[in-house]
Amino acid sequence: MSTIKKSFIIFFCLIAIQIVKAQDAPYSIGFIPASIEEGDIAFPIYEKWHLSGQADFQLVTQGAYTNGNPFAYTQRVVVRPWLIYSGFKNIKLWLGYAHNQKYAVEEAGNYETLENRLIVMGTFSQDMPKGSIFEQVRFETKFFDDRNGVPQTIPRLRARFGVNHFLRQTKEKPLFLAPNIGYYTELMLKFASKDYAEEHFDLFRLSVYYTAGITPNIHFLAGIIGQMQLRANGNQFDVYYGPMVSVKYSIKPKERETFDSVDGGAD
């Protein structure tokens, strides 16, 4: 077993122990490798009104409880357009829609469904001498049919805290521009009907990544993701872990891209 997997297992087991202590029902834990690949395009809309847009395209693959290949199955394909307002100092407001096509992965208990999301998000960032920190709150409503074909509408609240460390550039002509080391933690709560899921806890996620520019218009992210998610049955935790890669093209050149809003994760 790899050192990374051992570290995730130990970390998430500690979290699970704390959660389970507060509950009466028995829980089980399964570990699933996964990968997230994302491509984004950012573009101005009307600069006088501080309006811009972004289109995200995401592919999530996964293994299963007994399959250690994070690319074995396609879990979902996502198309997500955003409208962004940046007229406030240090604050960005996002309005988005996500089209999630999820596929069946029988070995992991996943069923096929089409999920749509309406999203409102706000990000508050603070510049530091050699980096930045940010806090993000996202409210989204998920619309989908469950495994029994029953339509479900589930509001979900997400809170994220992240840090970016700006790395020094000592070479006159560096290979990558404005590199960063970033990490964030994220907690999600769901508010479903009792017949679908009784628990409000949805998942806890963390990620560590390296970001940099290839050109002033093209930036990339490479890192690892880990999350613990409670299934709707209320007694099964799934721990997803694996690589995350993202590439972003901005029509308007940027000196630095920190990927504060990247939506890396599996479910």
Side-chain angles (χ1 to χ4, degrees):
M1 186 181 294
S2 68
T3 302
I4 293 177
K5 184 174 180 180
K6 287 180 179 178
S7 300
F8 276 130
I9 290 174
I10 293 171
F11 179 78
F12 284 114
C13 281
L14 290 174
I15 296 176
I17 289 172
Q18 298 303 314
I19 296 173
V20 171
K21 280 182 178 179
Q23 308 292 333
D24 297 326
Y27 287 84
S28 58
I29 299 179
F31 294 89
I32 302 176
S35 76
I36 299 96
E37 295 82 34
E38 183 170 320
D40 305 336
I41 301 175
F43 49 91
I45 295 178
Y46 193 50
E47 294 189 5
K48 185 177 180 180
W49 290 355
H50 308 283
L51 290 177
S52 61
Q54 183 170 307
D56 302 346
F57 306 90
Q58 188 180 75
L59 171 68
V60 179
T61 64
Q62 69 168 78
Y65 302 120
T66 58
N67 187 331
N69 180 5
F71 307 101
Y73 308 103
T74 298
Q75 187 203 83
R76 59 188 165 103
V77 175
V78 182
V79 178
R80 183 174 46 240
W82 294 101
L83 179 65
I84 307 163
Y85 177 77
S86 54
F88 300 115
K89 183 179 179 180
N90 299 329
I91 295 177
K92 281 188 176 182
L93 301 178
W94 304 63
L95 177 64
Y97 162 78
H99 180 89
N100 272 359
Q101 178 60 61
K102 297 187 175 182
Y103 298 96
V105 183
E106 294 183 5
E107 192 176 350
N110 295 4
Y111 61 95
E112 183 173 355
T113 188
L114 174 62
E115 178 184 291
N116 296 296
R117 300 181 186 180
L118 295 178
I119 311 165
V120 178
M121 182 169 71
T123 302
F124 175 68
S125 60
Q126 300 158 274
D127 293 332
M128 308 297 286
K130 296 182 180 180
S132 66
I133 62 176
F134 67 93
E135 299 84 34
Q136 188 177 95
V137 177
R138 181 184 309 201
F139 178 80
E140 61 188 21
T141 302
K142 302 166 55 174
F143 305 89
F144 63 96
D145 292 343
D146 64 22
R147 64 176 65 251
N148 298 314
V150 179
Q152 298 288 342
T153 300
I154 299 180
R156 188 161 69 164
L157 182 64
R158 304 167 55 165
R160 178 183 294 188
F161 173 80
V163 178
N164 297 297
H165 298 281
F166 300 162
L167 303 180
R168 293 178 60 189
Q169 284 191 319
T170 57
K171 296 182 179 180
E172 184 178 348
K173 294 183 178 181
L175 180 61
F176 299 126
L177 308 174
N180 320 284
I181 292 292
Y183 49 86
Y184 70 80
T185 61
E186 187 169 21
L187 176 66
M188 302 188 197
L189 301 176
K190 61 178 181 290
F191 301 90
S193 60
K194 293 297 183 181
D195 60 342
Y196 178 77
E198 294 188 359
E199 302 292 341
H200 290 309
F201 175 82
D202 194 356
L203 65 86
F204 175 80
R205 175 183 295 159
L206 60 83
S207 183
V208 180
Y209 45 85
Y210 173 87
T211 63
I214 300 173
T215 71
N217 298 89
I218 302 174
H219 295 78
F220 74 92
L221 173 154
I224 56 174
I225 192 83
Q227 72 178 43
M228 170 176 282
Q229 183 164 13
L230 180 63
R231 284 185 176 263
N233 59 23
N235 55 32
Q236 168 73 36
F237 282 104
D238 285 335
V239 177
Y240 291 92
Y241 61 94
M244 178 173 66
V245 178
S246 182
V247 177
K248 183 174 182 178
Y249 175 77
S250 300
I251 291 178
K252 185 177 180 180
K254 295 188 67 175
E255 178 181 354
R256 185 181 301 274
E257 178 64 67
T258 56
F259 287 85
D260 296 348
S261 62
V262 67
D263 192 25
D267 54 39

